[in-house]
Amino acid sequence: MTTTSTTSKPAGARVAVQRFGTFLSGMVMPNIAAFIAWGIITAFFIQTGWTPVPQLGGFPDANGTEYPGIVGPMLTYLLPLLIAYTGGKMVYDTRGGVVGAIMTMGVIAGADTTMILGAMICGPLGGWLIKQVDKIWDGKIRPGFEMLVNNFSAGILGFALAMLGFFGLAPVLSFVSQVLGNAVQWLLGAGLLPLASIFIEPAKVLFLNNAINHGVLTPLAADQVAESGKSILFLLEANPGPGLGLLLAFTFFGIGAARATAPGAIVIQFLGGIHEIYFPYVLSKPILLLAVIAGGATGVATNVAFGSGLVGVASPGSIFAVLAATERNSFIGVILSVILSAAVSFLIASVILRASRKRDLASGEGGDLSAAVAKTQANKGKESSVLGGLAANPVAATAPAAGATVATATAVHNIVFACDAGMGSSAMGASVLRNKLKKAGVEGVTVTNQAIANLTGDADLVITHKDLTDRARQKSPNSQHVSVDNFMNSPKYDEVVDQVQHQGGSAQ
C-alpha cells in the first residue's frame, strides 16, 4: 500500500481565500448545533413566534414585567464565546481557546451589537498571542513552577486583552458591524439584494462561499433575527433551488454520464443539502453559471417581495433544514423562492443544453464528468467523497511520489479519515471503509473521521486526499498514511481491508 505526497496548487489568491474561508467555517461549523438550537428557541418563544413565552423569549408579559429570556443572552454571549473558543483552540489548543474567549468577552461587554464578527477576530487572535507569549519562556521555567507560570501568564494576558477588547476593539467592531448592516439594508431598500447572486453562485462553484457565508452573512443575519425575528440573509447561499433546477435540466436534456448521474445527485443536493454535488455539472459547461445565477437571483427577489426569511442557519442546505428554520409567517415566500429559483435555473439550463446537444453528441463532450470532477476538487483544494461517483471512470490511483511512504504490516486498530473540516468528505469516506470492513468480517478496528487540525498523533492509520497528506503527516508523524484520489471508491480501501485481515486477531 503506497501513499503519495503530490500536491496540486491552484492559483495563489484563490487558495488564500479558500484557506481563509476554511478557517472561518472551522470556527462556525462545529457550533452549528448551537445556532440551530438558538433558531428553534427563537422560532417558538419570541413575541412573534409559534408559542410566545415572555420568560423565554425576553419580552414583557401582560403585566408589563420584563424578562431577559434566553434568546438574547444566547446570541449575545453563548454563540460568540463558542466561536471564539473554537477559533482560539484551532490556533493553540485549549489554552488558546480560553484566552481567545476572554478577549472576546471584553469585546462583547464593550459593544452595543452582537459580536459574532468580533469573536471570529478575537478568538484566533487571543490564541495566537498566548502562543507567542509561551514561546518567550519555553524551556526556561524551573521545575515545579510550570503550572504557576502558565496559569498566571494566561490570566494576565487574558486580563490585558479583555481591556483591549472593551476599550479599543469594541467601538471599532461595532462601527464595522453597523456599516455592514447599513449596506445590507440599503441593498434591500434599493431592491438590489438579488444582485448578490452574481457573486455568491460563482463563489459556491469555486468553493469561496465560506468566506462570504460564515464571515459576513451569518453575523449580519443573526443581528437581523435579534431585531425582527427573521433574516433573508440565511437564504442567500443555502437555497437549494438553483442546484435543483440545474440537475433537473441535466436529467432531461443532458447526455452520457451527466444525464445518468443527475437524478441521484438531486437526492444528495436537494434532500441531503450537499450542494457541491452539482458543481461539476456547472464546470462541465461554464456558461451554465448563468442558469444558477438567474435562479439564485429569482429566489432572493421572491423572498424580498414576500418579506420572508429564516430564524437560524440552514446547514446543510437541505430543503428539510430550510423549512425547519423558516419563520412562521414566511413559509409561502420561502417555498416559492425554492420553486421559482429551481424553475428559472431549469429553464435557462435546458435552453443551453438543448442548444449544444448536437454538438456535444458529435464531439463526445458534455457527458463525461471526469474532467469537471477533477476541476471541482482542484477548486476545493481537497477530495470530496460525494463527487467520486459522478465520474464516468474512477480516478486512477496515483503512483507513489519521491519520498512516499509504504504502509507496513504494523497492527492497525484505529483508522482516521481526515479532511479540512472533518465532516462531509471524511465522514462519507469513513462510512465506505467501515462497510467494507464489516462485509469482510473484520472486527476490532475503529474507523472515525476528523479535521486534520485535530489529529492527535495516536491514529494507527490516517487516510486523506492526496493533496492533504503532507499536512496530515505533519500532525500525525508516527501514523501510517494512505493517500486516495477518490473517497467513495478508492482501490486503496481494499488494500487496507487486506492488511487488517492478515494482522493478528483482527479478522473474524
Side-chain angles (χ1 to χ4, degrees), residues 40-57 59 328:
I40 294 172
I41 292 171
T42 302
F44 277 95
F45 301 131
I46 62 173
Q47 197 162 9
T48 57
W50 289 97
T51 55
V53 178
Q55 292 86 345
L56 298 174
F59 58 91
R328 61 174 298 185

Side-chain angles (χ1 to χ4, degrees), residues 10 14-15 17-18 196-213 236-239 242-244 246-247 250 269 274-296 345 369 371-382 384 386-387 390:
R14 187 177 69 221
V15 171
V17 177
Q18 286 172 348
S197 296
I198 295 175
F199 305 100
I200 291 176
E201 295 301 330
K204 289 174 68 174
V205 175
L206 295 174
F207 290 94
L208 304 179
N209 55 311
N210 281 335
I212 298 172
N213 193 27
L236 294 189
E237 189 269 341
N239 186 351
L244 171 64
L246 178 82
L247 293 172
F250 271 96
Q269 187 266 346
I274 303 178
H275 290 202
E276 68 186 57
I277 192 72
Y278 76 81
F279 298 170
Y281 295 85
V282 177
L283 291 173
S284 69
K285 195 177 290 292
I287 194 174
L288 289 171
L289 275 173
L290 296 176
V292 292
I293 289 173
S345 179
L369 289 178
V373 168
K375 187 174 182 180
T376 303
Q377 293 172 339
N379 286 336
K380 187 175 184 180
K382 64 178 181 179
S384 174
V386 297
L387 303 179
L390 296 181

Side-chain angles (χ1 to χ4, degrees), residues 301-451:
T302 303
N303 284 313
V304 171
F306 281 84
S308 50
L310 305 186
V311 297
V313 178
S315 181
S318 160
I319 184 61
F320 300 123
V322 169
L323 293 177
T326 299
E327 190 262 340
R328 61 174 298 185
N329 297 315
S330 296
F331 279 96
I332 294 177
V334 169
I335 292 173
L336 277 177
S337 74
V338 175
I339 294 174
L340 293 178
S341 62
V344 170
S345 179
F346 170 76
L347 289 174
I348 296 177
S350 297
V351 170
I352 294 173
L353 291 175
R354 285 177 63 86
S356 61
R357 182 178 177 84
K358 290 184 179 179
R359 184 175 66 251
D360 291 341
L361 286 171
S363 64
E365 296 179 356
D368 185 358
L369 289 178
S370 299
V373 168
K375 187 174 182 180
T376 303
Q377 293 172 339
N379 286 336
K380 187 175 184 180
K382 64 178 181 179
E383 175 72 19
S384 174
S385 58
V386 297
L387 303 179
L390 296 181
N393 298 302
V395 181
T398 55
T405 304
V406 177
T408 67
T410 304
V412 173
H413 300 288
N414 178 15
I415 300 174
V416 175
F417 277 75
C419 66
D420 272 341
M423 297 184 184
S425 304
S426 56
M428 296 185 72
S431 178
V432 171
L433 180 58
R434 204 177 290 120
N435 288 334
K436 284 182 174 289
L437 291 171
K438 183 177 180 181
K439 290 179 180 178
V442 174
E443 296 182 358
V445 177
T446 61
V447 182
T448 58
N449 57 282
Q450 63 185 102

Side-chain angles (χ1 to χ4, degrees), residues 31 105 171 259 272 383:
N31 300 304
M105 189 63 219
R259 180 173 185 173
E383 175 72 19

Side-chain angles (χ1 to χ4, degrees), residues 139-154:
K140 301 176 183 177
I141 305 173
R142 296 185 63 180
F145 288 86
E146 293 88 353
M147 183 177 293
L148 179 68
V149 173
N150 287 337
N151 284 343
F152 270 86
S153 62

